[in-house]
Each structure stands twice: as C-alpha cells, then as structure tokens.
Amino acid sequence: MSFTTSAIRRWLLVLLLLGAAFTAWQLTRPPRPAPARVAQPAIGPPPTDGRLRGVSWVAGDSASALDLEPLVRARVTWIAQTPFGWQAGAAVPEIRLQTGKGSRHYWGESDAGIIQTAERARQRGISTLLKPHLWLRGGSGSWPGDINMTSPADWQQWFASYSLFILHYARLAEEHQLEALCIGTELQHASVGHETEWRTLIRQIRGVYHGQLTYAANWSGEFEQVPFWDALDFIGIQAYFPLSKTERPEKAALLQAWQEPLRRIKAIQRRFKKPVVFTEIGYKTTPDAATEPWTWPDRRAVLTSADEATQAACYAAMFETFWPQKWFRGLFVWKLVPRPDA
C-alpha cells in the first residue's frame, strides 16, 4: 500500500501534535516523590564517664575498619586482645613465647596483628587492653588454673620464664601506647602463695610500661585471695559466677542470685580501695546460660534451639546489679568474632 504526499503530511502533523501534548503533560504533572530513606541511628560522642565498655576481640587474619564499625555503633570503647604463650604441661616450668613471625593463621595474635588492630581501633576511639593468656599442651589440662609446679625450684624457674613472657608484652604495649595491660589470667596456683614474686614482677613491668595494670582472677575464689591488688590499678575478675541451677530462670531470680557474689566483691573492693572490672563475662543463647556461664558449646555442634530471652535476662540482671555501683569500672563481654561464619 502506498501513501500520497498529502497523507504523509497529515501523519507528520498528528505526530507533532502528540509530542506537544506529551511535553505539556510532563510540565504540568505533580513531581514524583523521592524514595523513602531508611533512617540510620545517630552515633553520639563516646561516653565520658571513664567506664570500660569492652568486648574480648577474637583474633583473625586481618582487622579492618569495617570489622570495627559494629563496635562503634554499639558504643564499645575498649577491646581486649589475647596473644598466647605455650606451656607443654601444667607442671612444666617453661613458657614458649611466639610473636607470630612468619605465621599467617594466627596473625591477629602476633605482635604485628596486635599493633595493627590496636591502631585501627584507636582511630575509631576504641582503647586496648592487652591480655596475654597461657595455653597448656600435652593433655594435662587446658585451663591456666591447672598450672602448678611440684617444687620450689620449678616455681622459681616458672616465674623466670613467665617474666620474660609478660615483659615482652609490657614493652610492646609501651612502644605502641596500648592503654592497659593484664599481667596474668586465672593463674590461681601461681597468684596465691607467691606474693614476693608477683610484686617483684609488677615493679619490673612498671619500669617498662606506664599504662594501667590489672590481673584477671577467676570468679571461684581466686579474686578473694590475690594479695597484690594494691599494686595494680584495678581489680580484674573473670565473672562467670553460676546464678541458677535450673534452665530459663526469671530475671528476679538472677537478681537475687547476684547478691552473694556482690557482697564478696564489695568486701575485696573495700579492702583494697580499687575499682573493679569484669575482665570477662558472657552468656550463651541457651536455656542453661546462667548455670555454668564458663562452659561454651563445641563450635562444631549444631545449636538447635536458641534462647535469647534467657541470655537477655542474664545480661539485664548483671547490669542492674553492678552498673549503679560507683566502684564498678566496666566489663569485657566474651566474645566478639569479626565476620563470623555460619
């Protein structure tokens, strides 16, 4: 079918009129509303009351600003970093210091990893407690509280080895201006009955490190027997106190259960007149979270029924008991795993 010249002109006129009408409609229609934005919670200035709002940082193969962002949003002001010394057995008086050179797997526990993590945390307004631990090998127990020498000579050798271990980290903390150092963790056989050795070691540490010092004593009675709290800046307690014999306790029952540990902690605080920090405290998302808080499930186990209500009740009872105490300086929640896998 062919078109005449007049027909083509008519179609062109129709198209021009349609274009003009569409332009006029675009100019006169109301503007499209902008898409709604999801409000982000405001992040205020860090708290200025001097309390330690901390988490125990689990070392990885790197530490980025992205890893630290959740801490900033949660108003965390401190992290605890944990390098390890290695002991072949509970009665072996030698500690191996591993600074991590040439090891990528434990980068976060190496000197280089500790330094970089602390620097990136400081950039986000977060301070560091350097908290070295001892790890036992050889099937003789994995808890530092098992360490116990069999003779005075072995204790002398152990303290000489431990001094080299902890003084390395004291110098590292001084050189890189880490804000606090924990001089020992749950060494209940070493901390009791060896006051002279510890006071000598504390003087040596003070000679090379000028930040705050603490010791992390176990909840089960060690914190009441440590004789050298007066030589430190604050009393550190690994606060895994059992609070219930039943699953899913109510918060009221947990508040009542805290009264006896609170009395004991108050007595030590009054005796030494030092602030108290929970160098570790944490609760699982399980119904028995208050029964044995120090017991954590195997990471390979499948947790079939999470109980966040019990976990929340445990934390609420702890905060309501201790945060009003003027001598309570803060805590480190166990634990934060950056970028956790499934």
Side-chain angles (χ1 to χ4, degrees):
M1 177 170 153
S2 61
F3 287 92
T4 64
T5 302
S6 60
I8 292 173
R9 288 175 178 173
R10 283 197 300 272
W11 278 109
L12 289 173
L13 180 61
V14 169
L15 291 173
L16 288 171
L17 290 172
L18 288 173
F22 180 77
T23 301
W25 174 76
Q26 286 279 66
L27 292 173
T28 57
R29 72 170 182 162
R32 180 180 297 176
R37 294 179 178 271
V38 178
Q40 295 293 330
I43 301 176
T48 57
D49 58 4
R51 285 187 164 174
L52 284 66
R53 294 166 168 83
V55 295
S56 296
W57 177 271
V58 177
D61 61 0
S62 63
S64 69
L66 188 62
D67 296 329
L68 292 160
E69 189 61 28
L71 277 64
V72 176
R73 292 200 171 277
R75 309 295 294 280
V76 168
T77 58
W78 284 75
I79 59 172
Q81 294 198 65
T82 305
F84 283 91
W86 304 91
Q87 194 166 321
V92 177
E94 180 183 4
I95 297 161
R96 292 181 58 194
L97 171 66
Q98 294 185 353
T99 59
K101 292 182 179 179
S103 172
R104 182 67 178 172
H105 181 67
Y106 295 109
W107 175 88
E109 297 171 8
S110 69
D111 288 2
I114 291 167
I115 294 163
Q116 184 171 316
T117 302
E119 288 176 350
R120 290 187 174 173
R122 187 179 292 120
Q123 292 168 2
R124 307 295 288 161
I126 298 172
S127 300
T128 293
L129 167 67
L130 187 56
K131 189 167 175 277
H133 283 216
L134 294 183
W135 190 279
L136 300 187
R137 296 182 184 270
S140 58
S142 60
W143 181 45
D146 292 331
I147 293 173
N148 196 4
M149 300 299 108
T150 57
S151 70
D154 281 353
W155 271 120
Q156 186 177 7
Q157 185 178 346
W158 185 89
F159 271 102
S161 185
Y162 188 80
S163 296
L164 293 175
F165 166 74
I166 201 67
L167 284 168
H168 167 80
Y169 289 108
R171 294 185 182 95
L172 185 76
E174 177 70 12
E175 181 180 356
H176 297 279
Q177 299 182 329
L178 305 188
E179 290 80 2
L181 173 68
C182 183
I183 67 170
T185 299
E186 298 177 350
L187 300 168
Q188 62 179 14
H189 294 295
S191 67
V192 179
H194 301 278
E195 181 176 358
T196 299
E197 290 89 338
W198 281 103
R199 291 190 181 275
T200 298
L201 179 55
I202 292 168
R203 286 194 296 271
Q204 292 174 330
I205 294 170
R206 295 282 192 195
V208 298
Y209 175 67
H210 298 90
Q212 301 175 78
L213 296 183
T214 191
Y215 173 86
N218 195 45
W219 64 270
S220 61
E222 183 193 6
F223 77 93
E224 296 166 292
Q225 299 175 332
V226 171
F228 48 84
W229 288 128
D230 60 294
L232 303 175
D233 296 291
F234 54 90
I235 295 168
I237 301 175
Q238 308 281 88
Y240 297 111
F241 294 90
L243 302 173
S244 177
K245 295 182 179 179
T246 62
E247 295 185 349
R248 298 183 177 89
E250 298 292 332
K251 188 179 77 170
L254 295 171
L255 288 168
Q256 181 60 38
W258 265 120
Q259 295 311 300
E260 177 59 18
L262 175 62
R263 181 195 65 78
R264 293 163 56 196
I265 294 169
K266 276 184 174 180
I268 293 300
Q269 194 280 325
R270 284 195 297 265
R271 176 182 170 190
F272 289 98
K273 296 179 174 56
K274 297 285 183 177
V276 173
V277 171
F278 289 166
T279 41
E280 284 182 25
I281 189 167
Y283 299 100
K284 308 178 291 291
T285 53
T286 59
D288 63 347
T291 304
E292 293 183 346
W294 64 90
T295 302
W296 286 68
D298 190 312
R299 63 182 179 181
R300 294 166 294 185
V302 177
L303 187 63
T304 56
S305 58
D307 185 352
E308 294 185 356
T310 296
Q311 182 189 50
C314 289
Y315 278 113
M318 181 270 296
F319 276 108
E320 290 177 25
T321 299
F322 288 95
W323 211 255
Q325 310 296 332
K326 293 182 178 179
W327 46 261
F328 186 67
R329 193 171 169 190
L331 54 87
F332 289 84
V333 172
W334 182 271
K335 56 185 175 175
L336 178 84
V337 183
R339 294 166 296 181
D341 58 25

